[in-house]
Amino acid sequence: MAKDERNTYTIQNDASLGEVKIADEVVAIIAALAATEVEGVASMAGNITNELVSRLGMKNLSKGVKVDVLEGVVTVSLTLNLKYDYNIMDVTAKVQEKVKNAVENMTGLEVADVNIKVAGVEMDSQA
């Protein structure tokens, strides 16, 4: 039971229509996908590349992402590997903005913080 145990959060509760809940893992996947779309981000730390996600499934993408939701307010913590020769401050600022917008637009939850830890820098394989 511990393996399938998930935190879920109510994002809509309408008496006439019913209740909508979202798992924290879904929020983590949204954040990870948004982060990896930013140019200069190589991968989530300790994670697989985007090309493998389609073959292996979305569950692996949420590694390197921690999501805390308290009363409809989200704090996202990401651990990233960046590409060499990109400005770290520029890339991380773009990641923060993109993750914040993606989570807020897709879930309706308010994002308070997007914290980023840069775990590594990946060199171009052709260099």
Side-chain angles (χ1 to χ4, degrees):
M1 179 157 161
K3 186 178 180 187
D4 286 337
E5 193 174 309
R6 294 182 180 168
N7 293 330
T8 60
Y9 311 100
T10 302
I11 58 174
Q12 181 180 347
N13 193 355
D14 186 335
S16 63
L17 295 174
E19 187 175 54
V20 177
K21 290 187 175 196
I22 188 167
D24 57 356
E25 187 174 319
V26 173
V27 178
I29 289 170
I30 292 168
L33 285 171
T36 55
E37 288 175 357
V38 174
E39 189 172 343
V41 175
S43 63
M44 301 301 298
N47 198 353
I48 57 176
T49 61
N50 249 357
E51 297 83 50
L52 294 175
V53 170
S54 59
R55 284 185 254 157
L56 298 177
M58 291 293 197
K59 200 165 194 166
N60 292 324
L61 189 61
S62 63
K63 287 184 170 66
V65 182
K66 183 175 183 290
V67 174
D68 293 312
V69 180
L70 185 61
E71 297 176 13
V73 179
V74 181
T75 299
V76 180
S77 299
L78 302 163
T79 305
L80 303 175
N81 293 315
L82 301 183
K83 293 179 182 175
Y84 178 74
D85 209 22
Y86 282 84
N87 182 297
I88 293 172
M89 294 299 294
D90 290 345
V91 172
T92 54
K94 288 176 186 171
V95 169
Q96 287 174 315
E97 188 64 29
K98 187 147 188 162
V99 168
K100 180 181 187 317
N101 289 337
V103 172
E104 287 182 346
N105 291 334
M106 294 181 77
T107 66
L109 296 167
E110 178 188 342
V111 176
D113 298 308
V114 178
N115 302 309
I116 298 175
K117 177 181 174 187
V118 178
V121 176
E122 292 186 10
M123 302 296 287
D124 188 5
S125 59
Q126 282 115 12

